[in-house]
Amino acid sequence: RSPEVLEAVDVVLGGSESRYTVEVVLPGPVRRELQATAAGLPEPVAEQAVGLLVLHDLTEVRRMEQMRADFVANASHELKTPLATLTGFIETLQGPASDDPDARARFLPIMHEQAARMSRLIDDLLSLSRIELAEASRPTDPVDVAEVLERVRKAVALNADQQGITLDVRVADGLPVVPGDPDQVAQVFQNLVDNAIKYGGAGSTVTVTADMAAAPPVGRQPHLRDGAVVVSITDEGEGIPREHLPRLTERFYRVDKARSRSLGGTGLGLAIVKHILTRHRGALEIESAEGEGSTFTVYLPVATAAGQGTEEP
Protein backbone atom coordinates (compact mmCIF):
# COMPACT_ATOMS: atom_id res chain seq x y z
CA ARG A 1 0.00 0.00 0.00
CA SER A 2 3.01 2.27 -0.32
CA PRO A 3 2.70 4.81 -3.17
CA GLU A 4 6.50 4.91 -3.50
CA VAL A 5 6.74 1.13 -4.00
CA LEU A 6 3.84 1.10 -6.45
CA GLU A 7 5.48 3.90 -8.40
CA ALA A 8 8.75 1.94 -8.59
CA VAL A 9 6.90 -1.10 -9.93
CA ASP A 10 4.98 0.99 -12.46
CA VAL A 11 8.18 2.66 -13.71
CA VAL A 12 9.88 -0.71 -14.27
CA LEU A 13 6.89 -2.49 -15.80
CA GLY A 14 6.22 0.53 -17.99
CA GLY A 15 9.69 0.26 -19.48
CA SER A 16 10.95 3.68 -18.37
CA GLU A 17 13.69 2.12 -16.22
CA SER A 18 15.06 -1.41 -15.95
CA ARG A 19 15.77 -0.93 -12.24
CA TYR A 20 14.25 1.54 -9.76
CA THR A 21 14.99 1.94 -6.02
CA VAL A 22 13.00 3.87 -3.40
CA GLU A 23 13.03 4.09 0.40
CA VAL A 24 9.81 3.88 2.40
CA VAL A 25 8.81 4.24 6.03
CA LEU A 26 6.21 1.89 7.51
CA PRO A 27 4.45 3.40 10.53
CA GLY A 28 3.42 1.28 13.49
CA PRO A 29 4.36 0.46 17.07
CA VAL A 30 7.94 0.17 15.82
CA ARG A 31 8.78 2.39 12.86
CA ARG A 32 10.42 0.43 10.01
CA GLU A 33 12.48 1.79 7.14
CA LEU A 34 12.75 -0.25 3.96
CA GLN A 35 14.63 0.03 0.70
CA ALA A 36 12.55 -1.33 -2.19
CA THR A 37 14.18 -2.19 -5.51
CA ALA A 38 12.05 -3.08 -8.52
CA ALA A 39 13.69 -4.67 -11.57
CA GLY A 40 12.34 -6.04 -14.83
CA LEU A 41 13.12 -9.61 -15.84
CA PRO A 42 14.57 -10.32 -19.31
CA GLU A 43 11.77 -12.81 -19.95
CA PRO A 44 8.70 -14.08 -18.07
CA VAL A 45 9.35 -16.80 -15.47
CA ALA A 46 7.12 -18.83 -13.12
CA GLU A 47 3.45 -17.83 -13.33
CA GLN A 48 4.38 -15.33 -16.07
CA ALA A 49 6.12 -12.99 -13.63
CA VAL A 50 7.87 -10.16 -15.50
CA GLY A 51 9.39 -8.23 -12.61
CA LEU A 52 11.19 -8.65 -9.31
CA LEU A 53 10.70 -6.61 -6.14
CA VAL A 54 13.35 -6.86 -3.41
CA LEU A 55 12.76 -5.36 0.04
CA HIS A 56 15.76 -4.59 2.24
CA ASP A 57 15.00 -3.74 5.87
CA LEU A 58 17.14 -0.74 6.84
CA THR A 59 15.54 -0.25 10.26
CA GLU A 60 18.47 -1.48 12.33
CA VAL A 61 21.05 0.30 10.16
CA ARG A 62 19.25 3.64 10.45
CA ARG A 63 18.63 3.14 14.14
CA MET A 64 22.33 2.50 14.72
CA GLU A 65 23.25 5.62 12.73
CA GLN A 66 20.84 7.75 14.75
CA MET A 67 21.99 6.21 18.02
CA ARG A 68 25.61 7.05 17.27
CA ALA A 69 24.74 10.65 16.44
CA ASP A 70 22.53 11.03 19.52
CA PHE A 71 25.09 9.39 21.78
CA VAL A 72 27.88 11.75 20.71
CA ALA A 73 25.71 14.87 20.94
CA ASN A 74 24.01 14.06 24.23
CA ALA A 75 26.99 12.51 25.99
CA SER A 76 29.31 15.37 25.09
CA HIS A 77 26.78 17.90 26.37
CA GLU A 78 25.95 16.09 29.62
CA LEU A 79 29.55 15.13 30.43
CA LYS A 80 30.95 18.61 29.81
CA THR A 81 29.91 20.10 33.18
CA PRO A 82 31.13 17.33 35.51
CA LEU A 83 34.38 17.01 33.53
CA ALA A 84 34.98 20.74 33.78
CA THR A 85 34.29 20.59 37.53
CA LEU A 86 36.68 17.69 38.06
CA THR A 87 39.39 19.33 35.96
CA GLY A 88 39.09 22.59 37.89
CA PHE A 89 39.34 20.92 41.30
CA ILE A 90 42.23 18.70 40.22
CA GLU A 91 44.17 21.71 38.96
CA THR A 92 43.46 23.52 42.23
CA LEU A 93 44.60 20.57 44.35
CA GLN A 94 47.73 20.21 42.23
CA GLY A 95 48.48 23.91 42.49
CA PRO A 96 47.38 26.50 45.08
CA ALA A 97 45.72 23.96 47.42
CA SER A 98 48.33 21.22 47.17
CA ASP A 99 49.16 21.53 50.87
CA ASP A 100 45.72 22.61 52.09
CA PRO A 101 43.92 19.79 53.97
CA ASP A 102 40.76 21.89 54.36
CA ALA A 103 40.54 22.35 50.60
CA ARG A 104 40.99 18.62 50.04
CA ALA A 105 38.24 17.89 52.56
CA ARG A 106 35.90 20.26 50.70
CA PHE A 107 36.79 19.33 47.14
CA LEU A 108 37.09 15.54 47.28
CA PRO A 109 33.40 14.88 48.13
CA ILE A 110 32.34 17.16 45.26
CA MET A 111 34.74 15.38 42.90
CA HIS A 112 33.36 12.02 44.00
CA GLU A 113 29.80 13.24 43.38
CA GLN A 114 30.66 14.47 39.87
CA ALA A 115 32.47 11.23 39.00
CA ALA A 116 29.46 9.23 40.23
CA ARG A 117 27.18 11.41 38.11
CA MET A 118 29.26 10.62 35.00
CA SER A 119 29.17 6.91 35.85
CA ARG A 120 25.36 6.95 36.18
CA LEU A 121 25.06 8.82 32.91
CA ILE A 122 27.24 6.36 31.01
CA ASP A 123 25.40 3.39 32.53
CA ASP A 124 22.03 4.84 31.45
CA LEU A 125 23.26 5.66 27.95
CA LEU A 126 24.58 2.14 27.48
CA SER A 127 21.35 0.68 28.86
CA LEU A 128 19.29 2.81 26.47
CA SER A 129 21.47 1.78 23.52
CA ARG A 130 21.06 -1.92 24.31
CA ILE A 131 17.28 -1.54 24.59
CA GLU A 132 17.02 0.34 21.29
CA LEU A 133 19.08 -2.28 19.47
CA ALA A 134 16.61 -4.99 20.48
CA GLU A 135 13.47 -2.84 20.16
CA ALA A 136 12.15 -4.58 17.04
CA SER A 137 12.37 -7.99 18.74
CA ARG A 138 9.53 -8.52 21.19
CA PRO A 139 10.58 -10.58 24.25
CA THR A 140 8.55 -13.69 25.03
CA ASP A 141 9.53 -14.91 28.51
CA PRO A 142 6.61 -15.18 30.97
CA VAL A 143 6.69 -12.33 33.48
CA ASP A 144 4.78 -12.41 36.77
CA VAL A 145 4.04 -8.73 37.44
CA ALA A 146 3.26 -9.38 41.11
CA GLU A 147 6.69 -10.99 41.65
CA VAL A 148 8.44 -8.17 39.79
CA LEU A 149 6.70 -5.52 41.89
CA GLU A 150 7.69 -7.33 45.08
CA ARG A 151 11.32 -7.34 43.92
CA VAL A 152 11.11 -3.62 43.20
CA ARG A 153 9.50 -2.93 46.58
CA LYS A 154 12.36 -4.66 48.39
CA ALA A 155 14.95 -2.86 46.24
CA VAL A 156 13.62 0.64 46.99
CA ALA A 157 12.44 0.08 50.58
CA LEU A 158 15.63 1.41 52.21
CA ASN A 159 15.69 4.54 50.05
CA ALA A 160 12.00 5.16 50.78
CA ASP A 161 12.60 4.84 54.54
CA GLN A 162 15.51 7.27 54.35
CA GLN A 163 13.30 9.80 52.54
CA GLY A 164 10.42 9.30 54.99
CA ILE A 165 8.24 7.87 52.20
CA THR A 166 5.54 5.25 52.79
CA LEU A 167 5.24 2.64 50.03
CA ASP A 168 1.70 1.34 49.54
CA VAL A 169 1.73 -1.58 47.07
CA ARG A 170 -1.60 -3.14 46.12
CA VAL A 171 -1.66 -6.03 43.64
CA ALA A 172 -4.89 -7.72 42.55
CA ASP A 173 -5.09 -11.49 42.93
CA GLY A 174 -4.79 -13.75 39.92
CA LEU A 175 -3.07 -11.43 37.48
CA PRO A 176 -2.07 -13.26 34.27
CA VAL A 177 1.54 -13.37 33.15
CA VAL A 178 2.71 -11.01 30.45
CA PRO A 179 5.24 -11.86 27.71
CA GLY A 180 8.43 -9.93 28.23
CA ASP A 181 11.89 -9.60 29.69
CA PRO A 182 11.63 -9.80 33.52
CA ASP A 183 14.69 -7.62 34.11
CA GLN A 184 13.50 -4.91 31.73
CA VAL A 185 9.99 -4.92 33.21
CA ALA A 186 11.57 -4.55 36.66
CA GLN A 187 13.67 -1.67 35.31
CA VAL A 188 10.51 0.12 34.16
CA PHE A 189 8.84 -0.13 37.55
CA GLN A 190 11.99 0.65 39.52
CA ASN A 191 12.67 3.78 37.46
CA LEU A 192 9.10 4.99 37.99
CA VAL A 193 9.03 4.19 41.72
CA ASP A 194 12.47 5.77 42.21
CA ASN A 195 11.18 8.94 40.54
CA ALA A 196 8.07 8.93 42.73
CA ILE A 197 10.27 8.65 45.84
CA LYS A 198 12.60 11.43 44.64
CA TYR A 199 9.84 13.89 43.88
CA GLY A 200 7.13 12.76 46.33
CA GLY A 201 8.33 14.76 49.30
CA ALA A 202 9.25 13.66 52.81
CA GLY A 203 6.38 12.18 54.81
CA SER A 204 4.26 11.43 51.75
CA THR A 205 3.00 8.15 50.30
CA VAL A 206 3.85 6.49 47.01
CA THR A 207 1.02 4.22 45.90
CA VAL A 208 1.56 1.35 43.46
CA THR A 209 -1.46 -0.56 42.15
CA ALA A 210 -1.65 -3.47 39.70
CA ASP A 211 -4.81 -4.91 38.14
CA MET A 212 -6.36 -5.90 34.83
CA ALA A 213 -7.01 -2.86 32.65
CA ALA A 214 -10.67 -1.99 32.17
CA ALA A 215 -10.00 0.22 29.13
CA PRO A 216 -6.44 -0.08 27.77
CA PRO A 217 -5.38 2.54 25.18
CA VAL A 218 -5.82 0.25 22.16
CA GLY A 219 -5.74 3.21 19.79
CA ARG A 220 -2.13 3.87 20.76
CA GLN A 221 -1.05 0.22 20.98
CA PRO A 222 -3.16 -2.42 19.18
CA HIS A 223 -1.41 -5.27 21.01
CA LEU A 224 -3.43 -4.31 24.08
CA ARG A 225 -6.72 -5.30 22.45
CA ASP A 226 -6.59 -8.83 23.90
CA GLY A 227 -6.23 -7.55 27.46
CA ALA A 228 -3.59 -5.80 29.51
CA VAL A 229 -2.18 -5.62 33.00
CA VAL A 230 -2.14 -2.03 34.23
CA VAL A 231 0.28 -0.77 36.88
CA SER A 232 -0.02 2.76 38.27
CA ILE A 233 2.56 4.61 40.36
CA THR A 234 1.22 7.70 42.12
CA ASP A 235 3.15 10.24 44.19
CA GLU A 236 2.04 13.20 46.30
CA GLY A 237 4.70 15.61 45.06
CA GLU A 238 4.51 19.07 43.53
CA GLY A 239 3.17 17.79 40.22
CA ILE A 240 4.28 18.63 36.70
CA PRO A 241 3.01 21.60 34.66
CA ARG A 242 0.81 20.38 31.83
CA GLU A 243 2.98 21.87 29.08
CA HIS A 244 5.86 19.59 30.06
CA LEU A 245 3.94 16.29 29.95
CA PRO A 246 4.30 15.54 26.20
CA ARG A 247 8.11 15.85 26.40
CA LEU A 248 8.86 13.91 29.57
CA THR A 249 10.06 10.78 27.76
CA GLU A 250 12.55 12.66 25.57
CA ARG A 251 16.21 11.99 26.30
CA PHE A 252 17.72 14.43 28.76
CA TYR A 253 14.47 16.41 29.08
CA ARG A 254 14.03 17.73 32.61
CA VAL A 255 11.27 19.88 34.05
CA ASP A 256 13.60 21.30 36.70
CA LYS A 257 17.18 20.70 35.54
CA ALA A 258 18.89 21.90 38.72
CA ARG A 259 16.66 19.82 41.00
CA SER A 260 16.93 16.74 38.82
CA ARG A 261 20.71 16.85 38.83
CA SER A 262 20.85 17.52 42.57
CA LEU A 263 18.75 14.37 43.11
CA GLY A 264 21.08 12.28 40.95
CA GLY A 265 18.92 12.15 37.84
CA THR A 266 20.49 11.69 34.40
CA GLY A 267 17.46 12.74 32.35
CA LEU A 268 17.30 9.29 30.73
CA GLY A 269 15.06 7.33 33.12
CA LEU A 270 11.75 7.98 31.34
CA ALA A 271 13.35 7.55 27.92
CA ILE A 272 14.47 4.09 29.04
CA VAL A 273 10.94 3.36 30.29
CA LYS A 274 9.45 4.46 26.96
CA HIS A 275 11.76 2.30 24.85
CA ILE A 276 11.32 -0.77 27.03
CA LEU A 277 7.55 -0.45 26.76
CA THR A 278 7.81 0.01 22.99
CA ARG A 279 9.78 -3.24 22.81
CA HIS A 280 7.11 -4.96 24.95
CA ARG A 281 4.30 -3.44 22.83
CA GLY A 282 3.00 -1.70 25.93
CA ALA A 283 2.04 1.89 26.64
CA LEU A 284 2.73 4.66 29.16
CA GLU A 285 0.28 7.33 30.28
CA ILE A 286 1.22 10.31 32.45
CA GLU A 287 -1.25 12.39 34.44
CA SER A 288 -0.20 15.29 36.62
CA ALA A 289 -1.27 18.68 37.87
CA GLU A 290 0.70 21.25 39.81
CA GLY A 291 0.24 20.76 43.52
CA GLU A 292 -1.60 17.45 43.10
CA GLY A 293 1.15 14.91 42.45
CA SER A 294 1.66 12.66 39.43
CA THR A 295 0.50 9.26 38.22
CA PHE A 296 2.48 7.15 35.75
CA THR A 297 0.44 4.29 34.32
CA VAL A 298 1.98 1.32 32.50
CA TYR A 299 0.01 -1.05 30.26
CA LEU A 300 1.49 -4.44 29.35
CA PRO A 301 -0.32 -6.81 26.94
CA VAL A 302 -1.14 -10.23 28.34
CA ALA A 303 -0.10 -13.48 26.68
CA THR A 304 -2.63 -14.75 24.14
CA ALA A 305 -3.61 -18.27 23.14
CA ALA A 306 -2.05 -17.67 19.72
CA GLY A 307 1.38 -17.42 21.29
CA GLN A 308 3.38 -15.16 23.51
CA GLY A 309 5.26 -12.33 21.93
CA THR A 310 5.03 -13.51 18.33
CA GLU A 311 6.62 -10.81 16.19
CA GLU A 312 4.19 -8.98 13.95
CA PRO A 313 5.03 -8.34 10.28
Side-chain angles (χ1 to χ4, degrees):
R1 298 179 182 178
S2 167
E4 296 90 348
V5 174
L6 294 176
E7 179 187 2
V9 172
D10 289 341
V11 167
V12 169
L13 296 185
S16 301
E17 301 278 353
S18 61
R19 182 186 180 97
Y20 197 87
T21 299
V22 296
E23 292 189 5
V24 296
V25 175
L26 302 181
V30 177
R31 169 190 168 108
R32 290 188 181 275
E33 298 186 42
L34 304 178
Q35 181 185 75
T37 300
L41 297 174
E43 59 184 37
V45 291
E47 299 182 1
Q48 300 303 304
V50 295
L52 180 69
L53 180 65
V54 178
L55 300 177
H56 181 202
D57 192 341
L58 301 176
T59 304
E60 294 300 324
V61 174
R62 295 294 162 78
R63 183 178 288 123
M64 293 257 321
E65 291 172 353
Q66 188 61 47
M67 283 168 54
R68 290 190 190 101
D70 289 347
F71 184 90
V72 172
N74 293 329
S76 61
H77 175 74
E78 290 292 324
L79 291 171
K80 184 177 180 179
T81 299
L83 278 174
T85 302
L86 284 171
T87 301
F89 284 146
I90 289 170
E91 290 174 350
T92 302
L93 291 174
Q94 288 177 331
S98 59
D99 297 320
D100 187 342
D102 291 336
R104 285 198 299 272
R106 291 198 311 273
F107 293 165
L108 287 175
I110 300 175
M111 293 169 67
H112 181 270
E113 177 187 340
Q114 294 300 317
R117 175 183 165 192
M118 286 193 293
S119 178
R120 289 193 301 271
L121 178 61
I122 292 169
D123 286 344
D124 279 354
L125 281 168
L126 292 174
S127 177
L128 186 55
S129 296
R130 286 192 295 268
I131 293 163
E132 287 183 319
L133 280 173
E135 198 168 75
S137 174
R138 186 181 178 190
T140 59
D141 292 337
V143 179
D144 186 324
V145 172
E147 288 184 4
V148 170
L149 288 175
E150 179 60 18
R151 281 170 48 198
V152 170
R153 187 193 66 77
K154 291 178 179 177
V156 303
L158 179 59
N159 185 31
D161 289 342
Q162 291 173 341
Q163 302 297 324
I165 300 286
T166 300
L167 280 176
D168 183 8
V169 181
R170 310 171 190 172
V171 179
D173 294 331
L175 287 182
V177 299
V178 300
D181 180 317
D183 291 334
Q184 287 190 350
V185 173
Q187 189 174 6
V188 165
F189 296 141
Q190 182 149 352
N191 280 2
L192 294 176
V193 175
D194 278 338
N195 279 350
I197 292 171
K198 286 177 186 176
Y199 299 105
S204 65
T205 298
V206 170
T207 304
V208 181
T209 62
D211 206 339
M212 287 298 296
V218 175
R220 291 174 49 202
Q221 179 49 270
H223 287 82
L224 302 173
R225 70 170 69 90
D226 293 321
V229 172
V230 57
V231 179
S232 295
I233 295 94
T234 302
D235 65 57
E236 299 175 348
E238 298 175 1
I240 304 166
R242 186 170 297 277
E243 63 269 21
H244 292 287
L245 296 181
R247 301 190 60 190
L248 286 181
T249 56
E250 293 179 16
R251 300 181 195 207
F252 298 108
Y253 187 81
R254 300 178 176 95
V255 176
D256 185 338
K257 293 183 179 180
R259 185 182 181 201
S260 175
R261 289 193 176 109
S262 69
L263 292 172
T266 63
L268 292 171
L270 289 179
I272 289 172
V273 167
K274 172 189 173 183
H275 284 282
I276 290 176
L277 290 179
T278 298
R279 185 184 181 216
H280 285 70
R281 310 305 187 254
L284 174 69
E285 291 185 342
I286 305 172
E287 297 179 3
S288 186
E290 290 185 85
E292 298 180 10
S294 305
T295 297
F296 291 78
T297 303
V298 171
Y299 295 91
L300 291 169
V302 300
T304 63
Q308 296 183 19
T310 302
E311 183 59 31
E312 72 279 355

